[in-house]
Amino acid sequence: MKSRLVLVLVLCLQGFTCNEDGAEPTAPAQQVVGEAPQQAEAPARAPATPAPAVAPAPDGTTTYEDLLALLHLADVYDPAGLFIDFGTTARLKYTIGNWNSGWQGESREGGARVSTFGKTARLYLPAASKQPMRLRFRAKPYATGALIVYVNGKTAGEARVSQGDGFREIVIPISETDIRRGENSIMLRATKTAQVRGKARSLAVDWLRFEPSTAEGSAEPRGVAVDQVSAGGVDRRAIVLAPRAHVDWFVEVPEGGTLVFGSSIGSQSAGALALSVSSDGSAGITKRIDIGASWNDQQLSLEQLTGEIARLRFRNEGVTDLAVSDVRVVRRMGEVSTIDEPARNVIVLLIDTLRASKVHAYYPKTRVKTPTIDAFALQGTLFERSQSPENWTKPAVASVLTSLHPATHKTKQDASKLPKSALMLSEVYKKAGFKTASFIANGYVSNAFGFDQGWDHYTNYIREARNTNAPNVFGEAEGWIEKNKDGRFFVYIQTIDPHVPYDPPAKFLEMYDPQPYNGQVKNRRTHLMLDDAKKNPKKYAFTKRDKEHIEALHDGEISYHDEHFGKFLAKLRELGLDENTVIVVTSDHGEEFQEHGSWGHGHSVYQELLGVPLMFRWPGVIPANARIGPVVSTIDIGPTVLEATGVPVPDQFEGRSLLGFMRGDWPTGPYVAFSDFLEHRRVIRGGDWKMIIRGNLSHVIFDLGNDYWERKELDGMSHPIAQRYLRTLHGQFLGAENRGRWLASSAGSPGKKKPGLTEEKQEMTPELCRQLVALGYISAECDQLLSN
């Protein structure tokens, strides 16, 4: 008897576009796949009760990651090898999302969806072991010449290609000596290009397979779909794996995590599924599951891998097609609190230049005394792994106030201006009927750079040449709040005391440097001295005593600011506003004191610059003394406070609300954050793992859980699973046309692009430059203007 799996195509195939919301098409097409060979029919054994429509999860759990909806993030291996469809979003995890890698994006060629490149293109492909491999791909040449393939920096081979050939298969053998276990860097270089649709192009790539040289050369590539599969009379969402095919997903295992799925071969013959769950530090779990005609549902505890990055591998060990349904990781639910009524007001305090490791709640070993912030942390909820999207003020604050990534708002350069088309949080609140006010002590967050949108009251102390000290800034904010306390309000306060020039009152300096100091460091010139020292380390031969004094000045400023923050909170209590007001405390970036050989900020992407505090307080609603572990970004502040106040979150915003974390109703994973530094660096953090990609595409990985200060660079070869996890999510994000929906399978496809913002520039005048130099911002453009 021949057995069949009846499939109704409803979701995403690596080769087809998936609906962003996962909804079924209105008229799904049916197809029959996976016909089994002739064999003796086994006795039918009907289950006592029909299988449920969805593989059941343990009671008291909720979905953490729906892996079928994230199939485009999986590594898919057909029976011959790793298969990549270059006409789909699935390619992005191998091309760094096309960032600096030479790929020109997705288009159509001869009825096929393809990706094209010009002279060169790069790929990053995993290999299970060091063995001879082949690169096999179907491509259409646009010009006659040679295609040369380099693997891990060595020439692997080449092929002649001719314009007019149409689509053809190209096969490049790769010797064992050129292959690494883990990630392999592949470069394709064409000797000739042609102008096609306004761009210099060499090849259009349809699909690619990275296969062992022993693989059957004639095997046709076979992708994997999420389909509707019928087994035992029950239809389910599932993928279908050919014999010897497998699929790998990579996840950060949550606390109380369980892997849930069902499997079937849809016939009375026998099948077998090999499941392995492993991390870089653990062999994990292996399990062989015998499969029959009905759905065989499994619930596998992942507790032993909690907090680790794990690879979930499903492999068909049988001789006929095998379906795997409802694959998801669920997590144990806690108590979910309800919000009876929205918060009345919002205050966001951004303390300029305060890194997380200077706050006791984040780094208990710090010497810095911040009793007010410590008490605030105990009264509210703290996010332990909060990340800034940039390492200096203008782009970081633009992201806080627009909930856009720097690559979207484009406010990244010295002269960049926040576009008028960018929707600021102040504008959203003003439209919702709130009074809005800002009290800003940084010259980059000024009307000159487009930050004066949507405010009923706008103050920039630098631009207005006024006192920027904490008591003055907090004092004016208190006065405005008292006058407007009867209505709803949104207040943004950006203090700047920990920023250069460091010059705390004597009693605060003496907390950290009680001994007399007669060295070369001058308090009011620290901005100039540290900028010079950064550019020319030999100019100032700072002694150990000098360095101690410099950091003591900074630490004193933090404690000075903390005292006045305490007085501000006391005033809110006096006004009766502390109970119905959401207060957020965060920073734009940190400060370096030679942890990596430099000073200040705006030059690197280490955690002393990107790791910032993020705390929320809303008495009676947000839990007190709570700590949330997952990685989050400060671009999430806007959606969070909007949800708390009952104001709809605009579609333009790219962050997501964190209120669910605080209420016990956690959002779905993965939990990662992204940071930029101009066009030189791209960063992803997931859990305690962090990857930095440089502009030349070299990269480094850090294990922050075991290397807090990022002193040990890892290349990924010893941590291939963590590396694959970061590569996959980073590529998907960097290639997304709509960064607000970056996880969607259609995020990198044509037709899904969110309208972009037009980059704007501000003319840098001598007056503006003098104001910025006073803060220690000395750009080449300002340097030239002021020297003339």
PDB file of all heavy atoms in Angstrom, residues 486-499:
ATOM      1  N   ASP A 486      -2.352  69.446  37.649  1.00  0.00           N
ATOM      2  CA  ASP A 486      -3.776  69.092  37.607  1.00  0.00           C
ATOM      3  C   ASP A 486      -4.177  68.415  36.305  1.00  0.00           C
ATOM      4  O   ASP A 486      -5.267  67.831  36.224  1.00  0.00           O
ATOM      5  CB  ASP A 486      -4.629  70.339  37.837  1.00  0.00           C
ATOM      6  CG  ASP A 486      -4.444  70.903  39.234  1.00  0.00           C
ATOM      7  OD1 ASP A 486      -4.134  70.108  40.141  1.00  0.00           O
ATOM      8  OD2 ASP A 486      -4.584  72.128  39.409  1.00  0.00           O
ATOM      9  N   GLY A 487      -3.351  68.504  35.285  1.00  0.00           N
ATOM     10  CA  GLY A 487      -3.618  67.816  34.019  1.00  0.00           C
ATOM     11  C   GLY A 487      -2.638  66.672  33.834  1.00  0.00           C
ATOM     12  O   GLY A 487      -1.762  66.422  34.665  1.00  0.00           O
ATOM     13  N   ARG A 488      -2.778  65.970  32.726  1.00  0.00           N
ATOM     14  CA  ARG A 488      -1.844  64.881  32.419  1.00  0.00           C
ATOM     15  C   ARG A 488      -0.620  65.471  31.729  1.00  0.00           C
ATOM     16  O   ARG A 488      -0.736  66.391  30.896  1.00  0.00           O
ATOM     17  CB  ARG A 488      -2.493  63.826  31.519  1.00  0.00           C
ATOM     18  CG  ARG A 488      -3.740  63.201  32.116  1.00  0.00           C
ATOM     19  CD  ARG A 488      -4.273  62.080  31.246  1.00  0.00           C
ATOM     20  NE  ARG A 488      -3.533  60.842  31.431  1.00  0.00           N
ATOM     21  CZ  ARG A 488      -3.751  59.721  30.735  1.00  0.00           C
ATOM     22  NH1 ARG A 488      -4.666  59.717  29.762  1.00  0.00           N
ATOM     23  NH2 ARG A 488      -3.041  58.630  30.976  1.00  0.00           N
ATOM     24  N   PHE A 489       0.549  64.952  32.048  1.00  0.00           N
ATOM     25  CA  PHE A 489       1.755  65.523  31.456  1.00  0.00           C
ATOM     26  C   PHE A 489       2.791  64.443  31.144  1.00  0.00           C
ATOM     27  O   PHE A 489       2.804  63.358  31.731  1.00  0.00           O
ATOM     28  CB  PHE A 489       2.374  66.595  32.365  1.00  0.00           C
ATOM     29  CG  PHE A 489       2.794  66.121  33.731  1.00  0.00           C
ATOM     30  CD1 PHE A 489       3.961  65.380  33.927  1.00  0.00           C
ATOM     31  CD2 PHE A 489       2.038  66.437  34.854  1.00  0.00           C
ATOM     32  CE1 PHE A 489       4.363  64.955  35.174  1.00  0.00           C
ATOM     33  CE2 PHE A 489       2.427  66.012  36.119  1.00  0.00           C
ATOM     34  CZ  PHE A 489       3.593  65.274  36.280  1.00  0.00           C
ATOM     35  N   PHE A 490       3.654  64.781  30.168  1.00  0.00           N
ATOM     36  CA  PHE A 490       4.851  64.007  29.834  1.00  0.00           C
ATOM     37  C   PHE A 490       6.037  64.941  29.952  1.00  0.00           C
ATOM     38  O   PHE A 490       6.089  65.980  29.286  1.00  0.00           O
ATOM     39  CB  PHE A 490       4.772  63.437  28.426  1.00  0.00           C
ATOM     40  CG  PHE A 490       6.101  62.948  27.889  1.00  0.00           C
ATOM     41  CD1 PHE A 490       6.789  61.931  28.515  1.00  0.00           C
ATOM     42  CD2 PHE A 490       6.673  63.537  26.758  1.00  0.00           C
ATOM     43  CE1 PHE A 490       8.025  61.487  28.037  1.00  0.00           C
ATOM     44  CE2 PHE A 490       7.894  63.099  26.266  1.00  0.00           C
ATOM     45  CZ  PHE A 490       8.572  62.069  26.911  1.00  0.00           C
ATOM     46  N   VAL A 491       6.994  64.586  30.809  1.00  0.00           N
ATOM     47  CA  VAL A 491       8.177  65.418  31.038  1.00  0.00           C
ATOM     48  C   VAL A 491       9.426  64.604  30.721  1.00  0.00           C
ATOM     49  O   VAL A 491       9.572  63.464  31.193  1.00  0.00           O
ATOM     50  CB  VAL A 491       8.223  65.923  32.493  1.00  0.00           C
ATOM     51  CG1 VAL A 491       9.557  66.597  32.792  1.00  0.00           C
ATOM     52  CG2 VAL A 491       7.084  66.899  32.755  1.00  0.00           C
ATOM     53  N   TYR A 492      10.315  65.209  29.941  1.00  0.00           N
ATOM     54  CA  TYR A 492      11.605  64.604  29.636  1.00  0.00           C
ATOM     55  C   TYR A 492      12.694  65.482  30.234  1.00  0.00           C
ATOM     56  O   TYR A 492      12.772  66.690  29.950  1.00  0.00           O
ATOM     57  CB  TYR A 492      11.815  64.476  28.128  1.00  0.00           C
ATOM     58  CG  TYR A 492      13.198  63.994  27.750  1.00  0.00           C
ATOM     59  CD1 TYR A 492      13.564  62.663  27.937  1.00  0.00           C
ATOM     60  CD2 TYR A 492      14.149  64.867  27.222  1.00  0.00           C
ATOM     61  CE1 TYR A 492      14.831  62.216  27.612  1.00  0.00           C
ATOM     62  CE2 TYR A 492      15.417  64.422  26.880  1.00  0.00           C
ATOM     63  CZ  TYR A 492      15.753  63.095  27.083  1.00  0.00           C
ATOM     64  OH  TYR A 492      17.010  62.652  26.755  1.00  0.00           O
ATOM     65  N   ILE A 493      13.525  64.897  31.087  1.00  0.00           N
ATOM     66  CA  ILE A 493      14.623  65.616  31.741  1.00  0.00           C
ATOM     67  C   ILE A 493      15.932  64.935  31.359  1.00  0.00           C
ATOM     68  O   ILE A 493      16.075  63.726  31.536  1.00  0.00           O
ATOM     69  CB  ILE A 493      14.471  65.602  33.276  1.00  0.00           C
ATOM     70  CG1 ILE A 493      13.119  66.183  33.691  1.00  0.00           C
ATOM     71  CG2 ILE A 493      15.614  66.373  33.937  1.00  0.00           C
ATOM     72  CD1 ILE A 493      12.802  65.978  35.164  1.00  0.00           C
ATOM     73  N   GLN A 494      16.864  65.720  30.825  1.00  0.00           N
ATOM     74  CA  GLN A 494      18.197  65.177  30.526  1.00  0.00           C
ATOM     75  C   GLN A 494      19.228  65.991  31.277  1.00  0.00           C
ATOM     76  O   GLN A 494      19.559  67.119  30.904  1.00  0.00           O
ATOM     77  CB  GLN A 494      18.493  65.196  29.025  1.00  0.00           C
ATOM     78  CG  GLN A 494      19.846  64.578  28.690  1.00  0.00           C
ATOM     79  CD  GLN A 494      20.036  64.304  27.209  1.00  0.00           C
ATOM     80  OE1 GLN A 494      19.084  64.341  26.438  1.00  0.00           O
ATOM     81  NE2 GLN A 494      21.261  64.029  26.808  1.00  0.00           N
ATOM     82  N   THR A 495      19.716  65.413  32.368  1.00  0.00           N
ATOM     83  CA  THR A 495      20.770  66.057  33.143  1.00  0.00           C
ATOM     84  C   THR A 495      22.129  65.645  32.597  1.00  0.00           C
ATOM     85  O   THR A 495      22.253  64.658  31.876  1.00  0.00           O
ATOM     86  CB  THR A 495      20.639  65.649  34.618  1.00  0.00           C
ATOM     87  OG1 THR A 495      20.510  64.223  34.700  1.00  0.00           O
ATOM     88  CG2 THR A 495      19.426  66.302  35.254  1.00  0.00           C
ATOM     89  N   ILE A 496      23.173  66.405  32.979  1.00  0.00           N
ATOM     90  CA  ILE A 496      24.456  66.177  32.322  1.00  0.00           C
ATOM     91  C   ILE A 496      25.637  66.181  33.281  1.00  0.00           C
ATOM     92  O   ILE A 496      26.798  66.144  32.853  1.00  0.00           O
ATOM     93  CB  ILE A 496      24.671  67.251  31.215  1.00  0.00           C
ATOM     94  CG1 ILE A 496      25.689  66.767  30.180  1.00  0.00           C
ATOM     95  CG2 ILE A 496      25.042  68.599  31.843  1.00  0.00           C
ATOM     96  CD1 ILE A 496      25.717  67.580  28.923  1.00  0.00           C
ATOM     97  N   ASP A 497      25.385  66.136  34.568  1.00  0.00           N
ATOM     98  CA  ASP A 497      26.481  66.281  35.542  1.00  0.00           C
ATOM     99  C   ASP A 497      27.622  65.285  35.362  1.00  0.00           C
ATOM    100  O   ASP A 497      28.793  65.668  35.488  1.00  0.00           O
ATOM    101  CB  ASP A 497      25.903  66.207  36.953  1.00  0.00           C
ATOM    102  CG  ASP A 497      24.848  67.271  37.155  1.00  0.00           C
ATOM    103  OD1 ASP A 497      23.687  67.016  36.794  1.00  0.00           O
ATOM    104  OD2 ASP A 497      25.179  68.364  37.622  1.00  0.00           O
ATOM    105  N   PRO A 498      27.371  63.975  35.084  1.00  0.00           N
ATOM    106  CA  PRO A 498      28.512  63.049  34.937  1.00  0.00           C
ATOM    107  C   PRO A 498      29.331  63.242  33.655  1.00  0.00           C
ATOM    108  O   PRO A 498      30.347  62.577  33.477  1.00  0.00           O
ATOM    109  CB  PRO A 498      27.831  61.670  34.930  1.00  0.00           C
ATOM    110  CG  PRO A 498      26.495  61.880  35.564  1.00  0.00           C
ATOM    111  CD  PRO A 498      26.096  63.253  35.139  1.00  0.00           C
ATOM    112  N   HIS A 499      28.896  64.126  32.778  1.00  0.00           N
ATOM    113  CA  HIS A 499      29.584  64.388  31.505  1.00  0.00           C
ATOM    114  C   HIS A 499      30.744  65.355  31.740  1.00  0.00           C
ATOM    115  O   HIS A 499      30.709  66.169  32.664  1.00  0.00           O
ATOM    116  CB  HIS A 499      28.561  64.998  30.534  1.00  0.00           C
ATOM    117  CG  HIS A 499      28.954  64.975  29.098  1.00  0.00           C
ATOM    118  ND1 HIS A 499      29.944  65.773  28.580  1.00  0.00           N
ATOM    119  CD2 HIS A 499      28.451  64.261  28.054  1.00  0.00           C
ATOM    120  CE1 HIS A 499      30.039  65.552  27.272  1.00  0.00           C
ATOM    121  NE2 HIS A 499      29.149  64.636  26.930  1.00  0.00           N
TER     122      HIS A 499
END
